[in-house]
Amino acid sequence: MENSGEIAAAHGRAVLHVCEVLTASGHTVISANTDPSAAPQIFAQSDSGELAFYFVRVGLEAPPPSDVERFRALAAKHAVAAYFAPVTLDPQPHCARLRAL
């Protein structure tokens, strides 16, 4: 079983990967948090001006329904879009697609 340090390191790698993906597609990353218990992990603005929170998880295809509701509520409170970013780390970090919540 992974210890909390390994979980935090994996999550941090995933967050940094999504930051790179967003930047490569013209987004400006305003802030990023590699703490796995933080939400959101990334706050960014698209080149068209959309502000959004990105919720990053390692190894999950979809967040649990309770997390989806929590993520949506947080985004609504701040009047921004919400996206889920599932990341796999092996063999290399990969985020197949960002999913609107």
Side-chain angles (χ1 to χ4, degrees):
M1 176 174 245
E2 293 182 348
N3 69 37
S4 61
E6 291 170 340
I7 292 169
H11 185 78
R13 287 180 53 215
V15 170
L16 294 175
H17 174 70
V18 175
C19 286
E20 292 170 357
V21 168
L22 291 170
T23 301
S25 65
H27 290 69
T28 300
V29 174
I30 298 166
S31 66
N33 190 335
T34 59
D35 180 349
S37 64
Q41 282 72 49
I42 300 170
F43 176 44
Q45 184 173 20
S46 71
D47 58 354
S48 66
E50 178 188 59
L51 292 170
F53 287 160
Y54 294 84
F55 301 93
V56 179
R57 295 293 182 265
V58 176
L60 290 181
E61 281 299 313
S66 61
D67 283 354
V68 171
E69 289 309 311
R70 186 169 52 88
F71 296 161
R72 285 181 179 156
L74 182 61
K77 176 181 175 182
H78 294 279
V80 300
Y83 292 92
F84 175 66
V87 176
T88 56
L89 295 175
D90 293 320
Q92 296 177 2
H94 178 70
C95 181
R97 68 181 175 102
L98 302 171
R99 299 179 190 151
L101 293 177

